[in-house]
Amino acid sequence: MKERLDVMLKDMCDRGDYMGLSVLAAKKGEVLYRRDYGFADREKGRAQAPDTIFHLYSMSKPVTAAAVMKLWEDGELDLYDPVSKYLPGFLNQKVRENGELVPVKNEVTVRDLLNMTSGIVYPGDEKTPELNRLFDEAMKRADGPEAFDTVEFANSIGRIPLMFHPGENWQYGASADVLGAVVQVVSGMRFGDYLKKTFFEPMGMKDTGFYIPPEKKDRLAVIYRMEPGKEVTEYHGRHLVIMDYEKEPSFQSGGAGLFSTMDDYLKFASMLCSKGVYGGTRYLTERTVRYMSSNQLTEKQLNCMEWQAITGYGYGNLMRVLLDPCQAAVVTEPGEFGWDGWTGTYMEVNPAEDVVIMLMTAQIDRDNVCSRRRIRNFIYQHIV
């Protein structure tokens, strides 16, 4: 059956669903399937390979959640702490309500950030002009001496009106970037240094971080804009964060800033699948992982999640959590969790069956949700 999946993946690349695609399935810590197809750089003829480095974008979020959970289990913070305890920019916040600015009914908490119930959104909406200007300013300043650092940027987000009162709704946004700053303040270390010390170095995630050293740049997958019906072009823009650094960026984005490889991220996902243990070392307690991978939303908040890609899922701690396999049209078990990224990276952990599935690619403007679901269902039916 692996040969049938080989044909399926090659066909997806040949017909233009993917420029490059890497797929991995592991069960009980054993990799049962691993293939790389297509190009990491079409113009240079460089094939996608096991050591290809990818922009993770939002697949950075589960790593950020794990960092917060580590501080939580160690008693360094409480999830109902107001964010203003760590970031003064969150004091005396306002909410945009019926065209007016009104005081918040209750402060944004760390828990609100983890569950995207904070009222903080992403730029792009005409209703959030201040946030749009902030991100534009961050992009302009990023290459100079006045670049925002992680804490400064989070405090600036805090001074912008929220889209709703914290806890009332769910909306995807820049909450994880604020959490990166919380981790930095609580730990007393730069966010990236905390991740490196706590997870990356002890796990052997040698190709994961917020920048790519010059000697590794030729392993980076080019991002392709693959809008159906239009010519495929390379994308080198700046979306939410400044990538492609050859040195540590000032702003280390907990929501979208990490680079990694399939092998590196598998180590992190395997740790979550093994209830906090990887390579014989415990990184998070079993209780923490159980909490981290649970739906945290109320019924009202769940009703705000209107993305077709996460139908049947709940949400909590910066990840989707499967509630209803029938609504999701997947053959996995309730409790499966994970997240994906803007350029098509994808991770899922299924604790009930001890399965990890990952897809790595680098493209935008093409909806491959159905293709991804086909791959996942085939893996569950025939591989694991």
Side-chain angles (χ1 to χ4, degrees), residues 6 41 58 163 210 213 311 324 329 377:
D6 291 345
D41 187 332
S58 286
M163 285 295 288
F210 287 108
T311 299
D324 187 342
N377 279 330

Side-chain angles (χ1 to χ4, degrees), residues 61-132:
K61 289 180 170 70
V63 179
T64 298
V68 177
M69 291 288 99
K70 179 60 178 172
L71 293 172
W72 173 62
E73 75 172 34
D74 287 346
E76 299 293 327
L77 58 76
D78 184 74
L79 298 187
Y80 276 104
D81 279 341
V83 177
S84 62
K85 178 178 178 179
Y86 309 107
L87 301 169
F90 280 76
L91 286 167
N92 305 314
Q93 283 192 295
K94 300 288 197 249
V95 175
R96 201 178 300 281
E97 191 174 78
N98 300 320
E100 298 181 356
L101 295 181
V102 301
V104 292
K105 295 177 182 177
N106 43 271
E107 289 196 57
V108 174
T109 65
V110 174
R111 186 174 183 272
D112 285 320
L113 296 176
L114 283 165
N115 298 331
M116 295 289 178
T117 58
S118 63
I120 299 168
V121 298
Y122 269 135
D125 192 318
E126 62 181 14
K127 297 178 182 177
T128 61
E130 300 93 341
L131 191 65
N132 296 342

Side-chain angles (χ1 to χ4, degrees), residues 31 166 197 223:
V31 175
K197 177 184 177 182
I223 298 174

Side-chain angles (χ1 to χ4, degrees), residues 295-315:
N295 172 58
Q296 303 285 323
L297 302 188
T298 65
E299 184 174 351
K300 179 184 178 184
Q301 292 163 349
L302 284 170
N303 288 335
C304 299
M305 295 175 56
E306 298 178 344
W307 296 350
Q308 187 271 335
I310 51 176
T311 299
Y313 286 85
Y315 190 88

Side-chain angles (χ1 to χ4, degrees), residues 279-296:
T281 299
R282 179 165 292 283
Y283 293 89
L284 296 169
T285 70
E286 183 173 344
R287 293 173 187 270
T288 294
V289 176
R290 185 165 61 244
Y291 179 90
M292 182 180 174
S293 57
S294 299
N295 172 58
Q296 303 285 323

